[in-house]
């Protein structure tokens, strides 16, 4: 694959805005038919957007996190599934940036610049909790490693060129092995049946004695031994997706009311869009959407500031800022996507119109990690100055 190389933040945002408009067309049909967006992802790869965080010394644009968050918000406003698929791609580009050797960085950043996609095989089902990782990375007979395990919620794996796999090595520490999608022993099962984000193909990855060269393994546990932004950068993108879902739902509700809704007979107006009660509600929801975009921007700029000068204090401030943004965007996405029906009327509930995809996407995506724990960490930080944990999930 040949991919464009984006030069800077301005170009990245322009490309994202154009792609969002392109992906908006057909988003409803893709969702209702569960038609996987392979062609759209190829367009995303060819556009160069997947390489915008590659460091400048390796030929990338190395855009700010504020730019990356806006890219995800724009894409999610058009199609939440397409926005979700590359989230892990950027997470695992960042893992290489943090812990990859110079040789690993040169090789994999070259792959990304060429348009190659990273998926993920991270979460597991049926374990005690999310950090109970049972997939094993054991020594092989020839100095290589052997991967064995089963992964779930593997967003992006079906469409990937490389699948980063989170596994525990003989020292019981977590490592990330970068495995070709078509490697012997790798099976990607398209068994995702979630009510939302239907075309992310977030299914199962089975790893049956997969051989991995030692130079394709990164010691992920070292990421958490000092101040780090791994979790803040990952969750910032989730917050941006929620903000995009809310904006997309509000825009579609407004279009529906302008063009299809009938006015309530008591309003005395010829069109639903003139009803002062609907105008009031749209105004309230628009304020809420904007109120979510504000902390998203603050969080992104706080992460950028911490990247420029990384300390325990700046990392903690970034994590708290992202947690606050995620709490707000999660609630807003669910509320606005649900309010779409209240605003649009009975016809909006028709299955054939598929307006419910916004709520289903919001409700599904916001389940990634509980907002209640984010609020706990925010409260402890405000009251007692207690820095949030370094586990990478805040």
């Amino acid at each position: 694959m040949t991919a464009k190389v984006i030069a800077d933040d301005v170009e990245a945002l322009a490309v994202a805005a154009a792609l969002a408009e392109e992906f908006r067309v057909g988003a409803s049909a893709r969702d209702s038919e569960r038609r996987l967006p392979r062609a759209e992802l190829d367009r995303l790869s060819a556009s160069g957007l997947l390489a915008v965080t590659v460091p400048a010394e390796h030929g990338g644009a190395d855009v700010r996190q504020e730019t990356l968050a806006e890219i995800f918000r724009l894409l999610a406003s058009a199609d939440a599934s397409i926005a979700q698929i590359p989230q892990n791609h950027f997470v695992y580009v960042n893992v290489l940036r943090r812990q990859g050797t110079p040789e690993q960085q040169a090789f994999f950043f070259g792959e990304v610049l060429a348009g190659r996609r990273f998926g993920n095989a991270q979460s597991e089902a049926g374990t005690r909790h999310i950090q109970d990782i049972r997939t094993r990375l054991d020594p092989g007979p020839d100095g290589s490693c052997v991967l064995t395990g089963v992964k779930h919620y593997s967003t992006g794996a079906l469409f990937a060129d490389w699948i980063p796999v989170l596994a525990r090595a003989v020292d019981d520490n977590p490592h990330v092995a970068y495995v070709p999608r078509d490697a012997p022993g790798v099976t990607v099962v398209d068994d995702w049946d979630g009510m939302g984000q239907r075309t992310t193909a977030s299914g199962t990855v089975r790893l049956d004695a997969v051989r991995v060269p030692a130079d394709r393994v990164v010691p992920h546990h070292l990421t958490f031994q000092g101040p780090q932004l791994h979790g803040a950068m990952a969750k910032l993108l989730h917050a941006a997706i929620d903000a995009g879902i809310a904006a997309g739902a509000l825009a579609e509700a407004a279009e529906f009311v302008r063009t299809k809704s009938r006015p309530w007979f008591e309003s005395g107006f010829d069109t639903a869009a003139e009803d002062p009660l609907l105008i009031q509600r749209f105004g309230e929801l628009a304020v809420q959407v904007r109120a979510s975009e504000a902390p998203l921007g603050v969080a992104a700029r706080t992460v950028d500031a911490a990247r420029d000068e990384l300390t325990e204090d700046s990392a903690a401030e970034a994590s708290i800022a992202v947690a606050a943004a995620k709490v707000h965007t999660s609630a807003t996405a669910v509320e606005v996507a649900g309010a779409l029906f209240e605003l649009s009327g009975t016809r909006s509930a028709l299955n054939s119109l598929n307006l419910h995809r916004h709520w289903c996407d919001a409700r599904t995506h916001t389940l990634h990690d509980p907002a209640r724990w984010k609020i706990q960490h925010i409260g402890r930080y405000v009251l007692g100055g207690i820095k949030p944990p370094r586990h990478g999930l805040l």
Side-chain angles (χ1 to χ4, degrees):
M1 175 181 292
T2 301
K4 176 182 174 62
V5 177
I6 289 174
D8 54 29
D9 295 65
V10 173
E11 184 181 6
L13 289 173
V15 170
L19 280 180
E21 291 309 305
E22 181 180 323
F23 295 159
R24 196 180 312 279
V25 178
S28 177
R30 284 191 299 272
D31 180 88
S32 62
E33 299 166 12
R34 199 176 179 272
R35 178 157 37 90
L36 300 181
R38 296 182 186 276
E40 289 76 15
L41 288 174
D42 286 344
R43 286 279 296 119
L44 185 64
S45 292
S47 75
L49 277 182
L50 296 184
V52 294
T53 60
V54 170
E57 59 267 29
H58 289 275
D62 200 9
V63 303
R64 307 287 284 174
Q65 290 298 293
E66 184 175 12
T67 298
L68 188 62
E70 179 62 6
I71 289 169
F72 271 79
R73 192 193 70 81
L74 288 168
L75 293 176
S77 73
D79 187 319
S81 288
I82 288 178
Q84 176 59 36
I85 290 168
Q87 189 269 344
N88 287 294
H89 169 91
F90 285 97
V91 168
Y92 286 104
V93 169
N94 190 47
V95 167
L96 287 164
R97 183 169 184 152
R98 175 83 178 182
Q99 296 300 339
T101 65
E103 294 76 18
Q104 288 172 327
Q105 291 175 348
F107 174 76
F108 281 114
F109 290 156
E111 288 285 280
V112 173
L113 285 165
R116 308 285 191 270
R117 294 191 291 264
F118 293 160
N120 98 96
Q122 180 170 287
S123 294
E124 300 180 10
T127 56
R128 291 183 301 117
H129 50 69
I130 194 171
Q131 290 194 314
D132 182 15
I133 301 299
R134 299 180 183 180
T135 298
R136 301 300 304 181
L137 183 68
D138 296 315
D142 58 356
S144 64
C145 302
V146 179
L147 266 175
T148 304
V150 179
K151 297 290 188 175
H152 300 269
Y153 314 119
S154 303
T155 303
L158 189 67
F159 314 107
D161 298 289
W162 293 88
I163 303 177
V165 180
L166 185 63
R168 293 194 181 275
V170 290
D171 59 4
D172 207 38
N173 286 317
H175 291 63
V176 174
Y178 289 75
V179 180
R181 161 72 177 81
D182 58 357
V186 174
T187 304
V188 181
V189 185
D190 180 21
D191 56 357
W192 170 244
D193 65 349
M195 67 175 180
Q197 295 192 299
R198 285 165 44 79
T199 62
T200 58
S202 301
T204 301
V205 172
R206 302 186 186 280
L207 305 151
D208 183 13
V210 179
R211 299 290 290 274
V212 184
D215 62 359
R216 296 292 181 262
V217 177
V218 174
H220 190 39
H221 61 286
L222 298 180
T223 298
F224 308 102
Q225 293 186 2
Q228 49 83 26
L229 298 170
H230 177 80
M233 294 169 75
K235 300 306 177 182
L236 177 67
L237 302 186
H238 283 305
I241 292 169
D242 289 342
I245 292 172
L250 185 63
E252 189 148 8
E255 177 65 15
F256 193 91
V257 168
R258 281 193 299 265
T259 60
K260 297 182 177 64
S261 293
R262 297 183 297 177
W264 183 243
F265 72 96
E266 292 178 286
S267 73
F269 290 97
D270 294 330
T271 67
E274 296 173 282
D275 183 340
L277 298 179
L278 279 179
I279 291 171
Q280 176 73 19
R281 187 66 175 126
F282 268 105
E284 292 169 349
L285 292 171
V287 167
Q288 190 162 346
V289 169
R290 288 172 180 260
S292 278
E293 292 169 359
L296 177 66
V298 169
R301 290 189 290 275
T302 306
V303 173
D304 280 327
R307 287 179 71 197
D308 293 340
E309 190 173 347
L310 185 60
T311 65
E312 292 284 0
D313 289 339
S314 67
E317 189 63 31
S319 290
I320 293 298
V322 171
K326 185 66 172 68
V327 169
H328 205 291
T329 58
S330 292
T332 300
V334 173
E335 180 177 350
V336 174
L340 182 154
F341 304 101
E342 165 204 342
L343 296 167
S344 304
T346 305
R347 187 181 173 193
S348 65
L350 293 178
N351 194 58
S352 59
L353 295 176
N354 198 28
L355 295 178
H356 57 277
R357 74 185 186 279
H358 298 290
W359 186 87
C360 290
D361 285 341
R363 186 63 281 175
T364 301
H365 182 257
T366 55
L367 297 175
H368 270 87
D369 48 301
R372 60 187 179 273
W373 275 99
K374 296 180 187 298
I375 294 171
Q376 282 285 310
H377 291 305
I378 294 168
R380 292 168 184 169
Y381 185 73
V382 171
L383 276 176
I386 300 171
K387 292 182 175 63
R390 289 179 179 166
H391 51 45
L393 295 173
L394 186 66

